[in-house]
Amino acid sequence: MRIFSVLLWILFPGCWAVTGPGAVRSPPGGSVAVRCRYRAGYENYQKFWCREGGLFCSNWFHVIQTDGSEAEVTRGRVSIRDNHTQRVFSVTVGNLKPADAGTYLCGVQRSGFELRDAVELTVSPAATPDPSGGSR
């Protein structure tokens, strides 16, 4: 197994260049803030957020992306901002709808390929406390 991991790292050195939180949750109408980290050397590349459509972003369309600077970009209910010093970019999605639920990719756009990590977005009502001590 260790040999396989080393081979993967050699063949795909950027696989772990971007890391997201894995999963985020919010009730309908709420918002989420997703922080994705990246390794040194990728500060001036474009960062993006897109809906997964199989192996890549659906229809190769990024919901939102930076221009490689630290300037905040807003498109509708979604904004993205990069912090080069901390090597983290933040994506905020507001006024969430059940249709927004799904798998998204946060990533760095490099010449010819993307470095990315999947984030599962769940939009569901908060669990209501059960008087017996559990939740419903």
Side-chain angles (χ1 to χ4, degrees):
M1 186 60 150
R2 178 176 276 191
I3 293 172
F4 180 71
S5 298
V6 170
L7 283 175
L8 273 178
W9 185 80
I10 291 168
L11 293 173
F12 303 102
C15 285
W16 297 277
V18 177
T19 56
V24 291
R25 173 184 295 271
S26 176
S31 66
V32 292
V34 178
R35 291 173 49 95
C36 296
R37 299 191 174 280
Y38 55 90
R39 288 195 314 201
Y42 298 111
E43 291 84 355
N44 296 315
Y45 288 94
Q46 292 177 335
K47 312 310 183 299
F48 66 86
W49 174 256
C50 69
R51 189 147 195 169
E52 186 179 48
L55 185 57
F56 301 103
C57 296
S58 61
N59 301 322
W60 295 92
F61 177 72
H62 294 162
V63 172
I64 196 164
Q65 68 185 34
T66 68
D67 62 3
S69 75
E70 292 185 301
E72 183 174 46
V73 177
T74 301
R75 178 185 283 166
R77 301 177 293 125
V78 184
S79 67
I80 188 170
R81 177 177 288 241
D82 191 6
N83 182 320
H84 293 170
T85 304
Q86 294 182 1
R87 294 192 307 274
V88 63
F89 62 99
S90 301
V91 176
T92 303
V93 185
N95 192 21
L96 286 162
K97 302 168 181 8
D100 292 325
T103 303
Y104 290 79
L105 301 173
C106 62
V108 176
Q109 180 69 48
R110 292 217 21 200
S111 311
F113 65 97
E114 299 173 341
L115 307 170
R116 67 226 186 302
D117 195 22
V119 178
E120 187 67 29
L121 170 59
T122 302
V123 180
S124 66
T128 56
D130 184 337
S132 65
S135 60
R136 296 187 270 180

